[in-house]
Amino acid sequence: MTDILMPKATAVWMVDNTSLTFEQIAAFCGLHPLEVRGIADGDVARDIRGVDPITGGQLTREELDKAQDNADYRMKAIVSRHAELLKAHKAPPKYTPVSRRQDRPDAIAWFVRNHPEVTDAQIAKLLGTTKSTIESVRNRTHWNSPQIKPVDPVTLGLVGQLALDDLVSKAAAKKNKDDAKKGGDTIQPVEAEPAEPEFVPEAAERRTAEPTAASVFGTRN
């Protein structure tokens, strides 16, 4: 089946103007037969005006006649130029200007040194490079290894800060999850140190009696 424009409006028109079965209409419009039945009963698409797919260039009269004569026949839609334009297209590969391509090894070296949890596939996708280039930078077999120095890819203008932060956070979360599955090291709680005894100042020595002249100056014999 070819995707058509305004499938519910087309189904409304077919319910009102043809003898097609619910299954035939559903197959052509990409709907569920029960949804088409709901349209016929007035429970679905009540406020939608029908659209003629023949005048809209999405169906030929011959296809419609064949389907009305044979309940098992499934109509084939005409490929619509407008439908093709509305389809989501795959984003083109990331393009890096020639003037920036010499900076990619520096960015790769930055990832290798600072974020080993980021995989080669993630680096290649973010920077628009290849796994072989990443491996050569890591092993220092790159042709320009003596000149390569780790530099933040944001500083180099290769990626945005948000994209970099998102990649690093996802890579870290995945690594933690994988480590947990493998039973990796976990952070152990710090044992509590024994509490020091509370300092209590010694009680001042209390004298038993008030001082007297004899005790201070002595006695005469």
Side-chain angles (χ1 to χ4, degrees), residues 2 12 30 35 56 59 75 77 83 89 92-93 101 129 145 172-174 192 195 200 216 220:
T2 302
V12 169
E35 192 171 7
L59 180 68
M75 297 176 292
H89 295 282
R101 291 178 189 176
T129 185
S145 287
K174 185 177 186 303
V200 179
V216 174
R220 292 181 181 180

Side-chain angles (χ1 to χ4, degrees), residues 36-93:
V36 178
R37 181 182 293 276
I39 293 174
D41 294 339
D43 299 329
V44 179
R46 185 178 302 172
D47 299 326
I48 295 179
R49 178 177 297 180
V51 174
D52 185 352
I54 297 176
T55 58
Q58 299 187 92
L59 180 68
T60 64
R61 173 60 65 179
E62 290 75 16
E63 280 291 298
L64 179 59
D65 292 340
K66 287 181 182 179
Q68 292 186 114
D69 293 338
N70 182 2
D72 295 328
Y73 184 77
R74 296 295 180 263
M75 297 176 292
K76 298 179 180 62
I78 300 174
V79 177
S80 171
R81 180 177 63 88
H82 300 290
E84 289 296 318
L85 293 175
L86 291 176
K87 284 185 178 180
H89 295 282
K90 185 178 180 181

